[in-house]
Amino acid sequence: MISNWGPALVRTFRGTSAPMTYVLIGLCCLIFALGPASGFVPSYGTGDALLAAQRAYFRRWGVVPAELFDHPAREALTPVTALFIHGSWIHLLGNMLFLYVFGAMTEERLGRVEFTLFYLVGGYLALLGYAVANADSEQSLVGASGAISAVLGAFLYLFPRARVTSLLPFLFFLPLRFPAWVVLPFWAALQWLAAGQAAQGPGVAYLAHLVGFTLGFGYAWVRFGRTTRVGAAPVTVPEGENQP
């Protein structure tokens, strides 16, 4: 039975219309499981030793704005590696849910290669934009939200009438359906307001969300023009994900 898993996975990969979305989700989950934040690897220790290992891990693979500009050659790839590193289970699962919901349809429209490059470049520029705005920060920045925000921006342009089922906390998580042109600009506005109130220095990377979202929308606008928007099937997503 085990010997049949490989061919079965290959057939599944070839049969789906959005394989790279699932590859990206799988990579993020695998890398998280092997890192110190998952709790699966006992060699990282416990207590203070585990916290020290997590800080070192995030600093090694995440974006540290001050180091990015002090040592640009050495740190140039960290805005890419940071896209696959997550700080907690909630951080990981929230990002992967958004990528799963919005990534597949966007990939179908862009194509596998273009979607992958779009995801990586959009995420890179989103984190770079955050680093430029916080050039003196010594805090590590990790997470796929910049790239996923770019996907959200492209999705909004390509599928503005898609019905998005949102779970709104202030309405007791009642599932309500709205078109993407209502939900996603509302999400972007929340990021804008949160970024404007982040006066205590870096924390949640709201600015990276805004940069990614704007880049994604702008790319889809330039790439496809006004005549290629299409309708879409309903999608479901919880409102208010704010992790970096």
Side-chain angles (χ1 to χ4, degrees):
M1 180 180 294
I2 294 178
S3 62
N4 293 327
W5 288 1
L9 288 174
V10 171
R11 287 194 297 272
T12 301
F13 181 86
R14 289 178 177 174
T16 180
S17 57
M20 295 312 302
T21 296
Y22 304 120
V23 168
L24 291 168
I25 292 173
L27 282 175
C28 287
C29 292
L30 176 62
I31 291 171
F32 180 80
L34 297 176
S38 68
F40 288 159
V41 184
S43 61
Y44 286 114
T46 59
D48 291 341
L50 178 60
L51 292 176
Q54 291 175 356
R55 286 193 294 269
Y57 183 80
F58 297 148
R59 195 170 190 88
R60 172 65 182 85
W61 300 109
V63 176
V64 181
E67 294 184 3
L68 180 63
F69 298 113
D70 286 344
H71 309 284
R74 188 182 69 191
E75 301 292 327
L77 287 179
T78 55
V80 174
T81 58
L83 297 177
F84 298 92
I85 307 298
H86 291 83
S88 68
W89 280 101
I90 293 177
H91 187 195
L92 173 73
L93 295 176
N95 276 344
M96 293 307 99
L97 174 60
F98 269 68
L99 181 54
Y100 173 77
V101 170
F102 294 102
M105 290 173 61
T106 306
E107 181 182 348
E108 289 177 9
R109 192 70 184 86
L110 295 179
R112 300 174 184 180
V113 175
E114 185 176 354
F115 174 79
T116 305
L117 293 175
F118 165 79
Y119 180 90
L120 295 175
V121 173
Y124 189 103
L125 293 177
L127 294 180
L128 184 62
Y130 178 87
V132 169
N134 298 275
D136 296 329
S137 173
E138 294 284 345
Q139 182 169 338
S140 303
L141 178 64
V142 297
S145 288
I148 295 170
S149 296
V151 172
L152 297 183
F155 186 96
L156 173 61
Y157 183 83
L158 295 171
F159 308 104
R161 292 180 303 224
R163 305 294 291 185
V164 179
T165 301
S166 300
L167 305 179
L168 303 176
F170 56 84
L171 292 179
F172 304 101
F173 295 96
L174 292 176
L176 300 175
R177 294 177 62 194
F178 301 99
W181 65 265
V182 172
V183 174
L184 294 181
F186 176 70
W187 174 87
L190 290 179
Q191 308 309 298
W192 177 269
L193 292 173
Q197 294 174 358
Q200 308 247 335
V204 176
Y206 299 110
L207 181 59
H209 300 176
L210 289 171
V211 172
F213 186 85
T214 303
L215 289 173
F217 187 90
Y219 177 82
W221 180 35
V222 172
R223 169 71 172 80
F224 293 100
R226 295 185 177 182
T227 61
T228 58
R229 298 185 184 186
V230 296
V235 292
T236 304
V237 62
E239 180 63 41
E241 187 270 333
N242 290 324
Q243 294 295 329

